[in-house]
Amino acid sequence: MSSIQASRARKPGQSPGGLTATGLFMRRTLHHMRNNIFGLAVEAVLSPIIMLLIFTFLFGGAIAGSAWEYIQYLLPGILVLTVVPMTVYSGTTICTDIAKGVYHRFRTLPFWQPAAIFGSIIADSLRYAVALLVVLTMGFGLGFRPDGGLEGTMAAALYVLLFAFGTSWVFALIGNAAKRPETVSGTSMMIVYPLLFASNVLVDTSTMPRWLQVAIDLNPISIVVTLTRGLLSGTAGAAELAAGIGVVLLFIVIFAPLTISIYLRRQIRG
């Protein structure tokens, strides 16, 4: 990595600290994004717009009677539905670097090794932020009006970003354990889409049989969408806040240490 090597050249015998190394890997990931503007535009701009339009006008009349009424319910769920599949890239990026031997070269450099993962995951937040901005802008254009106002909208967007950060660690773990990026994509999508569509993203669970309602309400995606709706509407209660933030913290506390542990053991084994 040229930026880290340059740092070594400037300060012989010294290694970059954790924050410096993380910043360097963030720049590396952002550089890759800049070199793939078309891919970023498709996944973070075009795909969210198409998804919002399809669900709003295809299901709006059938579910809520009108597209305008449905988007008031739908948009918080679309925010989550948009970013969660994008978090899979954290795993595929890491797996690609490992498969190409890039991370084996990193280990010869004197820096805090987990920075390679932290920097990549943090930089990916730019991808999620762009997608959220696109969905919110499009939603306002279609008539979405959050009762929580600007404060509620900002709180909901920040919360979804935090959830995406936590979810990225799940797929970073898969990316560290898998041998091929295709395996990461296939495995991750088998996890993501059943959870997304067996949730309250698109429909209200109150009309479902009790057993199904309980199962869907316990889905972590449903918990996150419920809090997002509450923040946007200004009605989020203490229980929703505790459950929603708890899901994010649980993902980070469980999957971040596991990911780092597997990554470091892989480095040692070479």
Side-chain angles (χ1 to χ4, degrees):
M1 182 177 177
S2 59
S3 52
I4 292 180
Q5 290 169 342
S7 177
R8 292 178 67 197
R10 288 193 302 270
K11 300 180 179 180
Q14 297 184 18
S15 59
L19 288 177
T20 301
T22 299
L24 291 174
F25 278 97
M26 288 175 61
R27 287 172 55 192
R28 175 178 182 262
T29 301
L30 293 174
H31 176 73
H32 289 170
M33 288 185 193
R34 188 171 68 247
N35 289 340
N36 186 26
I37 292 295
F38 177 76
L40 180 63
V42 170
E43 67 190 22
V45 179
L46 185 59
S47 294
I49 289 176
I50 293 175
M51 193 179 306
L52 183 61
L53 290 174
I54 287 176
F55 284 118
T56 299
F57 293 103
L58 187 61
F59 298 123
I63 294 177
S66 72
W68 184 87
E69 290 184 11
Y70 186 47
I71 199 173
Q72 311 306 317
Y73 179 86
L74 174 68
L75 191 129
I78 289 293
L79 291 176
V80 179
L81 181 63
T82 296
V83 300
V84 169
M86 295 174 65
T87 60
V88 175
Y89 287 103
S90 295
T92 57
T93 299
I94 290 171
C95 187
T96 298
D97 279 347
I98 292 174
K100 290 182 177 179
V102 175
Y103 278 2
H104 292 311
R105 294 196 292 273
F106 287 163
R107 72 178 179 177
T108 65
L109 302 175
F111 65 89
W112 184 59
Q113 292 294 318
I117 298 179
F118 275 99
S120 176
I121 289 179
I122 294 173
D124 278 338
S125 297
L126 175 63
R127 220 189 291 262
Y128 315 143
V130 171
L132 291 179
L133 180 62
V134 168
V135 172
L136 286 170
T137 302
M138 191 71 183
F140 284 126
L142 293 175
F144 176 71
R145 296 295 181 267
D147 293 334
L150 179 61
E151 296 83 359
T153 301
M154 292 179 63
L158 289 174
Y159 171 66
V160 175
L161 279 176
L162 183 61
F163 175 66
F165 175 78
T167 306
S168 294
W169 285 103
V170 178
F171 302 115
L173 176 63
I174 297 174
N176 270 280
K179 293 184 178 180
R180 300 177 59 186
E182 296 83 359
T183 303
V184 178
S185 299
T187 303
S188 300
M189 292 308 173
M190 288 176 62
I191 298 171
V192 167
Y193 286 112
L195 285 175
L196 283 173
F197 291 108
S199 70
N200 61 359
V201 168
L202 301 177
V203 295
D204 188 352
T205 61
S206 61
T207 59
M208 299 179 182
R210 180 60 182 170
W211 65 269
L212 183 58
Q213 179 180 344
V214 171
I216 290 179
D217 287 344
L218 291 176
N219 181 340
I221 298 294
S222 294
I223 294 173
V224 170
V225 172
T226 297
L227 177 54
T228 304
R229 285 197 176 104
L231 292 171
L232 284 168
S233 64
T235 60
E240 293 174 344
L241 284 168
I245 295 175
V247 166
V248 175
L249 293 178
L250 192 64
F251 279 16
I252 295 174
V253 168
I254 291 177
F255 291 101
L258 283 174
T259 302
I260 298 300
S261 176
I262 291 177
Y263 172 72
L264 293 179
R265 288 205 302 270
R266 178 190 291 272
Q267 295 281 25
I268 292 171
R269 291 196 303 266

